[in-house]
Amino acid sequence: MADRVYLDILGSRFRAQLSYRTSFLLDFAAQMVGQASELVVILVLFGRAKEMGGFAMHEVLIMYGIAGVGFGLADLFVGQLDELPRLIRTGQLDVLLLRPLSTLAQVATGDIQLRRLGRIIAALAVLVTVLSTSDIHWTGPKLLLAATAPLVGAVIFGAIWVVACSVCFWIVDGRELANTVTYGSNMFTSYPITVYPPWLRRFLAFVIPGAFVAYYPALALLDRPDPLGAPAFLSWCSPLVAVAAVAVAGLVWRFAVRHYQGTGS
Amino acid sequence: MSKKELRRGLAWSFVRALIGCYPHLAVAGFHRYSTYRSAAVAALTTNTAFGLMRIAVLFSVLGSRQQVAGYDAASIASYVWLGQGLLGVVILWGGHELADRVRSGDVAVDLARPWNLQFALLAEDYGRAGFAMLIRFVPPMLIGGMLFDLRWPQQEHTWALFALSIVLAVAMSFAIRFLLSLSAFWLLDARGVTAMYGLLGGIFSGLTVPLAFFPDWAYDALWWTPFPSLLQNTIDVFVERGSPLPLLAHQALWTVGLLVIGQLALRAAERKLVVQGG
Amino acid sequence: MSALIVADRLRRSFHISHRAGFLRRRRTEVVAVDAVSFTVQRGEAVGYVGPNGAGKSTTIKMLTGILTPSSGGATVCGLDPAKDRRALAARIGVVFGQRSQLWWDLPLSESFELLRSIFRVPKDSYQERLDECVELLELTPFLATPVRQLSLGQRMRGEVTAALLHDPELLVLDEPTIGLDLESKERLRAFLADLNQRGTTLLLTTHDLDDIERLCGRLMVIDHGRVLADGPLAELRAEVVTERTLVVDLTEPHPPLTGLPGVREVRTELDGLRQHLVFGRSDTTAAALISALVDRVAVHDVSVAEPEIEELIRRLYKRTTVPDAMTDL
């Protein structure tokens, strides 16, 4: 029943956005170009190096692809949280609070941006191409992993997004800080974590669980042991990390909304 | 309007730029942006985070080699932190308030004032950039300098050339944004082009990868666009990569060219506004 | 009658920190609503007025559950707003004059459909409510228009409809007529008055005292977070206002009509063609004054002007101390 409500909201969003066809197509193309420009960077870098952090180009591209699709999906479904400071400033959040629905789900579905499919499609195209041309020993579990890794990655990114944007309930200029975490995580996860210095790696890979988005799933797909010595089973743990991240994000969001109701700022 | 009139108009505007309201506008720009202190703190966090990641990625390309495409470790470190610092001075993203004013029609007020709109906004942008040098450029350089060995200019005159290069880069970034904003007069909405510019600028100005890392053909092709003059040339002046003269000449030519095109576009926009009433 | 809203010593304070020197910040406590108590019975129409920053919106936010009280509490429709915000949301309608609950890029009718889905309104009762609003608020001409293209007056009619689709027991309106033209205001007031007649409880905050005059049987005046007065409009008026004004239109200009018994002040308009005679409520009556008048001059028309409601409120503010009994009428 509740799901139908959100489907109705989503459906209306889609209709509204598709009615501005030219600007939609332009925005859609811009999203693809945005994702493609990250690809260009990786290609340029591999024009100057045979490997990065011990990984060959196709291996890095698998990470880039998983991270790109995951980030794109998260951006599509919770990217609207970036608008939170505006919703708070204009009082529009109060309107959402006055409806008998989850506030978070309303913010997410309220103005979902279909153009973000552009990024997802671009990343997916790269991921499929690289996976099908790489020399991967495919097994059932690995096929399942390849299919679910971007989705699990999206959930982890989504949780990061929710936590980062919750900051906006306390800090007026929180949007840029939140973007640093979300877009920063996207950049971080597109490369093997072995390229980063240890302290940065520890923070971005495990405190913000960025390593579980693309790095560990890619290791499992490639049958590679972790050069940093993590046990092999960690490569299959991303779904568990995603569940934990969602739980944390849910708690943080509840706390943040409570705080908002407590201050009304 | 005849060419002669246009030339006279331009010359007159230029004289006014030296003596008129423009220095005052620059000071006002400085003031306006000095109120965004907490935004600057947020930006520093962003620049630092991305700087740390970019430098790690580029160091891994360098690997155990002495240098890649003429960049050694110290030059790469300087490249990254200069880029992060200059980003807030020579803005690549945002700064499209004029486009919003064109869309809303408020631009009619701007055009009705007894000033040359391009020079006025440029003066204000210099004020903004001046403040940004203090609060957006210096802090990332300090952080970068504390954490990494940077390559500092070896020759004294490089500092002067670097300053000149920043002055040109700010003007060019402004000139491009001015043109993009004016395009809203014809496109009704400049958001599409500004978004596309932001994406292309991010990669072709040399913010994410040094342009010298590109394949030679791509590097040569980019030289025919204004993009290298936004960031890469200024950075290369600082790290003393080859002779600074071609770098500065590229900046100067593109800046003047784009400013002149901007003047012509401004006249056309004014005519359009007068003829069609907006 | 039963109580629909009970506010019990509702209090809300904010901490505001401001720059005191370069890095030091000082925190000060500002009390927005100070121990406000009142009860609204089912079916009442209550006007909640006060100057900017008096605490009106803060009270509304606490009553709807958007804001938790610093102390004290409230019961609305038998629920605690702070705890049961979402359950309460299904039973009340809220209209903010300056915030839209509609989707700006969708046709009005589609916004309604979405709200039906959000509030889970059964199809037939939704249709019934909608038809009624469409008819009374004359929405038909712009039902298919995207909200962003509506005029403010049209949008507000849409907002009110949107707030009523789930048949709320209580309709809260925060500055509903702000920015509207006179005709739109009048149309909206007529609709709300009718709605109240048929049993929906109204609580509205407003700057526009005509809203109160037209809609509200009861007035609550708040300032500096405290209720200054609470009671039926007519009663408050009789209590505070001791003067009335007789407006006289003469057949030809005349010098000021001074010297009539009980008249304290005379103002003239149109070179003396129209004269305002201010008299003490206890000194004389309008009838006595009129008969005295017609003896002296040729009168074209007379009317008794009650003092403006602004004046009433201004006088309420002037009374420095508020007897406790007044706050608990």
Side-chain angles (χ1 to χ4, degrees):
Chain A
M1 184 68 190
D3 307 331
R4 239 201 79 77
V5 179
Y6 298 118
L7 284 180
D8 282 348
I9 297 178
L10 287 179
S12 79
R13 289 296 77 210
F14 292 171
R15 276 193 299 284
Q17 284 168 27
L18 290 175
S19 62
Y20 300 92
R21 196 149 302 159
T22 326
S23 93
F24 174 78
L25 287 176
L26 208 64
D27 287 341
F28 185 85
Q31 290 279 324
M32 290 186 103
V33 171
Q35 184 67 22
S37 72
E38 289 169 30
L39 173 66
V40 169
V41 171
I42 294 177
L43 297 180
V44 167
L45 292 176
F46 274 101
R48 296 286 168 179
K50 292 212 165 43
E51 49 139 67
M52 287 178 72
F55 289 84
M57 184 165 84
H58 73 277
E59 295 173 321
V60 173
L61 285 179
I62 290 174
M63 296 173 200
Y64 155 88
I66 295 174
V69 178
F71 181 80
L73 286 169
D75 191 20
L76 178 67
F77 286 108
V78 294
Q80 293 67 242
L81 282 175
D82 285 352
E83 294 299 317
L84 200 57
R86 188 178 57 79
L87 295 179
I88 293 172
R89 200 178 57 245
T90 60
Q92 206 59 35
L93 190 69
D94 294 349
V95 174
L96 301 186
L97 285 168
L98 286 173
R99 290 188 186 144
L101 288 182
S102 144
T103 313
L104 179 58
Q106 286 188 79
V107 176
T109 53
D111 200 14
I112 196 161
Q113 297 295 323
L114 209 50
R115 60 186 157 92
R116 289 175 177 151
L117 283 170
R119 174 186 285 277
I120 299 169
I121 290 170
L124 193 61
V126 173
L127 182 60
V128 170
T129 311
V130 180
L131 284 179
S132 57
T133 54
S134 299
D135 185 21
I136 293 175
H137 176 65
W138 287 107
T139 61
K142 277 209 234 168
L143 277 171
L144 187 67
L145 180 66
T148 55
L151 302 176
V152 172
V155 173
I156 296 176
F157 269 131
I160 293 172
W161 219 302
V162 170
V163 172
C165 286
S166 297
V167 168
C168 298
F169 282 104
W170 283 271
I171 304 176
V172 183
D173 285 317
R175 179 171 176 165
E176 179 150 7
L177 286 178
N179 281 351
T180 304
V181 176
T182 52
Y183 289 84
S185 306
N186 181 33
M187 176 174 176
F188 174 82
T189 50
S190 300
Y191 294 91
I193 64 172
T194 47
V195 307
Y196 302 103
W199 52 275
L200 187 64
R201 180 165 66 218
R202 272 176 219 127
F203 178 72
L204 291 172
F206 302 111
V207 179
I208 298 172
F212 292 90
V213 171
Y215 179 72
Y216 286 123
L219 288 185
L221 289 173
L222 294 163
D223 286 318
R224 283 191 58 155
D226 183 9
L228 299 168
F233 74 86
L234 214 56
S235 300
W236 297 86
C237 283
S238 295
L240 293 176
V241 172
V243 170
V246 166
V248 171
L251 287 174
V252 170
W253 177 261
R254 276 176 73 98
F255 181 67
V257 173
R258 284 270 160 73
H259 169 80
Y260 175 77
Q261 288 174 281
T263 59
S265 52
Chain B
M1 185 175 298
S2 74
K3 266 190 191 159
K4 198 174 155 198
E5 269 177 301
L6 180 65
R7 219 172 312 144
R8 273 218 339 247
L10 274 175
W12 179 229
S13 298
F14 188 69
V15 172
R16 288 255 310 265
L18 296 174
I19 58 169
C21 59
Y22 304 104
H24 194 159
L25 282 168
V27 174
F30 187 95
H31 260 196
R32 268 181 65 196
Y33 285 88
S34 65
T35 56
Y36 297 112
R37 250 169 275 197
S38 60
V41 174
L44 178 62
T45 316
T46 309
N47 293 343
T48 308
F50 277 87
L52 289 171
M53 287 191 285
R54 293 222 162 98
I55 213 164
V57 167
L58 291 176
F59 277 171
S60 85
V61 170
L62 187 66
S64 53
R65 288 175 286 180
Q66 273 303 310
Q67 59 171 44
V68 171
Y71 283 90
D72 59 11
S75 310
I76 286 179
S78 288
Y79 157 85
V80 167
W81 295 105
L82 282 166
Q84 293 302 310
L86 287 171
L87 181 60
V89 179
V90 184
I91 40 182
L92 277 185
W93 302 307
H96 300 295
E97 292 81 11
L98 179 61
D100 298 336
R101 292 182 69 79
V102 173
R103 198 172 57 238
S104 67
D106 292 343
V107 72
V109 180
D110 304 333
L111 290 175
R113 290 196 175 137
W115 60 16
N116 183 306
L117 183 61
Q118 192 193 36
F119 290 147
L121 294 179
L122 177 59
E124 208 185 27
D125 205 44
Y126 268 126
R128 177 201 59 75
F131 186 75
M133 281 302 285
L134 294 179
I135 204 157
R136 301 287 302 270
F137 177 77
V138 172
M141 286 303 282
L142 287 178
I143 290 175
M146 281 189 289
L147 297 176
F148 298 91
D149 284 328
L150 303 186
R151 186 188 199 283
W152 300 94
Q154 308 293 308
Q155 293 162 294
E156 297 222 325
H157 69 261
T158 296
W159 286 103
L161 295 177
F162 176 61
L164 174 64
S165 182
I166 293 175
V167 167
L168 288 170
V170 169
M172 197 174 79
S173 161
F174 167 80
I176 294 175
R177 284 181 282 122
F178 185 76
L179 272 173
L180 294 178
S181 292
L182 285 192
S183 76
F185 270 103
W186 291 273
L187 300 176
L188 298 176
D189 191 343
R191 277 179 293 196
V193 280
T194 53
M196 209 49 107
Y197 167 70
L199 289 169
L200 298 179
I203 175 161
F204 294 137
S205 66
L207 176 71
T208 34
V209 198
L211 296 184
F213 279 37
F214 277 72
D216 290 341
W217 59 267
Y219 184 66
D220 292 342
L222 278 174
W223 194 251
W224 291 97
T225 74
F227 288 113
S229 279
L230 282 170
L231 285 177
Q232 187 70 60
N233 287 1
T234 308
I235 293 170
D236 285 347
V237 167
F238 188 93
V239 299
E240 294 164 331
R241 226 181 110 80
S243 162
L245 285 181
L247 302 171
L248 290 167
H250 186 265
Q251 286 190 302
L253 283 173
W254 271 110
T255 303
V256 170
L258 288 167
L259 282 173
V260 169
I261 297 172
Q263 277 300 331
L264 296 172
L266 180 61
R267 306 280 146 130
E270 278 170 342
R271 254 197 316 276
K272 187 169 156 52
L273 196 69
V274 172
V275 174
Q276 303 181 355
Chain C
M1 290 227 286
S2 60
L4 196 66
I5 304 176
V6 179
D8 182 21
R9 278 159 295 164
L10 212 47
R11 182 176 190 279
R12 179 68 224 194
S13 61
F14 296 100
H15 291 279
I16 294 176
S17 77
H18 52 92
R19 215 177 274 279
F22 186 65
L23 284 172
R24 276 182 319 124
R25 291 184 158 272
R26 196 180 308 146
R27 275 161 70 87
T28 42
E29 191 188 36
V30 177
V31 180
V33 173
D34 194 3
V36 164
S37 298
F38 59 85
T39 303
V40 174
Q41 303 295 335
R42 208 172 276 277
E44 274 195 285
V46 179
Y48 195 45
V49 303
N52 273 332
K56 290 176 302 199
S57 291
T58 307
T59 312
I60 297 291
K61 282 183 176 180
M62 287 192 283
L63 293 179
T64 52
I66 300 174
L67 192 65
T68 39
S70 304
S71 67
T75 310
V76 180
C77 302
L79 300 169
D80 178 349
K83 285 212 191 76
D84 307 314
R85 188 190 79 235
R86 274 162 66 173
L88 180 62
R91 296 179 54 185
I92 62 173
V94 184
V95 175
F96 291 111
Q98 288 166 312
R99 298 165 196 183
S100 182
Q101 55 192 318
L102 305 167
W103 282 260
W104 69 286
D105 51 1
L106 287 182
L108 194 53
S109 55
E110 207 167 325
S111 278
F112 293 156
E113 283 290 335
L114 271 179
L115 286 165
R116 175 178 91 80
S117 161
I118 287 173
F119 282 92
R120 305 200 176 114
V121 189
K123 188 89 190 165
D124 9 322
S125 66
Y126 162 79
Q127 200 59 48
E128 197 179 309
R129 292 296 280 187
L130 183 62
D131 289 347
E132 194 179 295
C133 289
V134 165
E135 192 196 322
L136 293 173
L137 288 168
E138 295 170 46
L139 304 180
T140 317
F142 49 89
L143 262 182
T145 312
V147 170
R148 76 192 131 84
Q149 289 171 11
L150 298 182
S151 72
L152 190 57
Q154 292 171 331
R155 210 203 76 206
M156 273 318 294
R157 284 186 264 161
E159 298 280 355
V160 170
T161 306
L164 291 173
L165 291 174
H166 56 289
D167 200 6
E169 298 156 49
L170 167 70
L171 182 62
V172 180
L173 304 115
D174 193 9
E175 302 286 352
T177 57
I178 203 162
L180 296 189
D181 59 78
L182 280 176
E183 196 209 326
S184 304
K185 279 184 184 176
E186 204 34 62
R187 195 198 302 260
L188 194 58
R189 286 174 192 145
F191 176 82
L192 292 174
D194 181 50
L195 189 73
N196 180 237
Q197 284 290 308
R198 286 178 293 143
T200 307
T201 310
L202 297 183
L203 175 64
L204 66 123
T205 74
T206 183
H207 268 87
D208 190 333
L209 298 165
D210 290 340
D211 290 348
I212 308 285
E213 190 99 54
R214 182 82 173 71
L215 284 173
C216 302
R218 174 175 163 203
L219 180 64
M220 280 198 294
V221 183
I222 182 174
D223 195 23
H224 294 104
R226 307 187 54 125
V227 174
L228 293 185
D230 182 352
L233 187 53
E235 247 174 57
L236 288 178
R237 182 174 274 148
E239 181 179 336
V240 184
V241 180
T242 54
E243 288 174 343
R244 306 173 80 192
T245 302
L246 189 71
V247 183
V248 189
D249 285 348
L250 305 175
T251 49
E252 53 195 48
H254 192 278
L257 293 159
T258 47
L260 288 161
V263 173
R264 297 175 183 174
E265 189 190 342
V266 180
R267 292 193 305 271
T268 61
E269 262 184 87
L270 311 164
D271 296 325
L273 201 57
R274 171 174 289 177
Q275 309 215 356
H276 300 254
L277 310 177
V278 182
F279 62 98
R281 209 181 261 278
S282 51
D283 297 345
T284 184
T285 64
L289 200 54
I290 291 169
S291 66
L293 255 179
V294 291
D295 291 343
R296 272 178 61 175
V297 287
V299 174
H300 176 68
D301 194 12
V302 291
S303 62
V304 179
E306 291 295 340
E308 297 281 323
I309 198 161
E310 276 97 343
E311 176 65 15
L312 172 68
I313 286 172
R314 199 173 59 78
R315 286 177 194 219
L316 283 171
Y317 287 144
K318 264 193 183 162
R319 305 191 314 186
T320 43
T321 51
V322 185
D324 282 346
M326 278 297 296
T327 55
D328 263 319
L329 268 179

